[in-house]
Amino acid sequence: MSSTAEAPTVLRDRTNRRSPRTRTDPFPRSPVARWMLRLGLSAPLVLIALLLELVPYPETAPNADLLVDVASIDWTRGDAEWLALLYPHTTILIAASNPFGRLGLSIVGAIAAGFLLQKVAEIIAQRAIPRSTGIILVIALAANPLFAYFALENLPGFLAMTFFGLALADLVRFVNWGSTESGFRAGILLMVAALSDPSGILYALVAVLASPFLRHGRAAAPGLRAANMLVIAFPTLGAFATIAFLNLLFFGSLWPQQDLAVILAGIPAGIDALVALYTTPTGWLIAAPVLSSWLVAAIVRRPAAIPVSTIVFLLVNVAFLFGAFHPGAAGVTFTLLTLLAITLIPGARTPITNVLVDLVAVLQIAIAWTAALDRPIVREWMQLVADAWVALTG
């Protein structure tokens, strides 16, 4: 009799039992919880986007030029050169199908921010980074005007950064734990990033170059790292090679001549601007995240991360020379290097190193706010937010 009474209890315990968490599990594991987290992280930015409807649109923001570009497109064409002129394809198609103008672009950026930050939390959980460090890093990344301006006023650049962040989560699964499916998904996400903004080409290159420096879960084999890099890079290479081949076949050039002429003509001015930038405190603020990544690499005894951050910083400067960043862009370098730090730097293993890494993470918060206050375009945007709040509250 007693055994019969106990049977339902045993069955219920087995039903409610959860398997131990593994490093390849999403975070949170429940789909409902993941969506709630994304929506919760997007909500503050959505509110700011709605608030900004009360003030004039910042004409120097990248979203302003995006709306102008979409309005000037001849949608009756269908040739290969026209396909290249639609670049960046992902953002152009999203903006063209958006009936809400400035507000619609900002809302898309806010939703993208929710997905990006949820993936950042997932990377932190999968890599077993200490909770204190993870919380501080997320605050440093997102709780500042640089991130808010980036998400709400630069949809092309932020979409590219978001797809790059999503790809990093799959890149960790692919390299660290041998998930081939994640490797293919990372490659596709990097391709979409490169088709969202010219800066996405930089992000794809960064991901490919950073992959050999991750800890590899598979047994060592000749050519393993090169094979991983090819899997990640192939979709992006294939997409641009296809467009270039069609242009070469039908028009005799790899890319529309007017675009190439603009890029080449802008290099001398870019060099002058870069030299002038590094003679001001602003230039040192741009380099500050690199110095922080060096410091963390030294603390956790991961010297291999130092050349990665250095190469990334050099690539950012080269991308600036080639006009990959909109003149109204801000927060790109800080966000990129913070995402890479979360992906590449291993979790500290002793209480002392935990504290030291946390202190460097707190320093990132100060760097982000100082950089935001130093950029005139971000200060003007912050003033618009303040003016909108005054207009709302009377």
Side-chain angles (χ1 to χ4, degrees), residues 66-67 70-71 73 75 89-102 104-105 108 155 159:
L66 176 61
L67 292 173
V70 169
I73 291 175
W75 294 101
H89 305 84
T90 305
T91 311
I92 289 291
L93 292 177
I94 290 175
S97 59
N98 157 49
F100 303 108
R102 159 197 169 170
L105 298 182
V108 173
L155 180 63
L159 274 184

Side-chain angles (χ1 to χ4, degrees), residues 23-313:
R23 288 191 171 186
T24 58
D25 286 339
F27 178 85
R29 283 198 282 184
S30 165
V32 174
R34 283 200 299 277
W35 277 102
M36 293 299 293
L37 179 60
R38 291 164 184 159
L39 293 175
L41 293 169
S42 300
L45 292 175
V46 171
L47 293 176
I48 295 175
L50 294 172
L51 183 65
L52 284 170
E53 283 296 287
L54 302 175
V55 294
Y57 185 74
E59 296 298 330
T60 54
N63 280 355
D65 287 344
L66 176 61
L67 292 173
V68 172
D69 291 342
V70 169
S72 64
I73 291 175
D74 179 7
W75 294 101
T76 63
R77 291 179 59 179
D79 53 81
E81 189 175 30
W82 178 76
L83 181 63
L85 291 172
L86 284 181
Y87 183 79
H89 305 84
T90 305
T91 311
I92 289 291
L93 292 177
I94 290 175
S97 59
N98 157 49
F100 303 108
R102 159 197 169 170
L103 178 61
L105 298 182
S106 296
I107 294 295
V108 173
I111 294 172
F115 277 85
L116 175 61
L117 294 176
Q118 180 266 322
K119 279 298 178 182
V120 169
E122 185 171 284
I123 294 172
I124 290 171
Q126 290 177 345
R127 303 193 66 238
I129 294 175
R131 182 174 298 179
S132 61
T133 306
I135 292 174
I136 297 172
L137 283 173
V138 171
I139 292 174
L141 175 66
N144 60 75
L146 276 179
F147 186 84
Y149 173 84
F150 192 11
L152 298 182
E153 303 296 349
N154 185 3
L155 180 63
F158 194 78
L159 274 184
M161 185 69 76
T162 298
F163 287 122
F164 170 70
L166 299 180
L168 284 180
D170 284 308
L171 182 63
V172 170
R173 292 195 192 99
F174 173 52
V175 177
N176 283 9
W177 301 297
S179 173
T180 305
E181 177 187 354
S182 296
F184 290 128
R185 192 160 51 234
I188 292 172
L189 287 168
L190 291 172
M191 178 193 70
V192 180
L195 293 175
S196 299
D197 189 65
S199 62
I201 301 173
L202 165 69
Y203 305 149
L205 183 59
V206 165
V208 171
L209 294 178
S211 64
F213 294 90
L214 289 170
R215 180 181 60 82
H216 283 61
R218 293 187 178 97
L224 174 62
R225 285 177 168 80
N228 287 345
M229 294 170 71
L230 181 60
V231 169
I232 298 166
F234 181 78
T236 304
L237 292 174
F240 282 92
T242 300
I243 297 175
F245 175 75
L246 290 173
N247 274 276
L248 186 63
L249 183 64
F250 292 103
F251 303 102
S253 64
L254 294 176
W255 203 261
Q257 291 293 331
Q258 58 268 39
D259 286 356
L260 294 175
V262 169
I263 292 172
L264 295 175
I267 291 177
I271 293 174
D272 293 339
L274 204 59
V275 171
L277 178 64
Y278 287 112
T279 59
T280 66
T282 300
W284 292 105
L285 283 172
I286 293 174
V290 185
L291 301 177
S292 297
S293 65
W294 291 355
L295 185 57
V296 172
I299 291 171
V300 299
R301 298 181 181 180
R302 186 69 177 273
I306 293 177
V308 176
S309 57
T310 306
I311 292 171
V312 169
F313 185 66

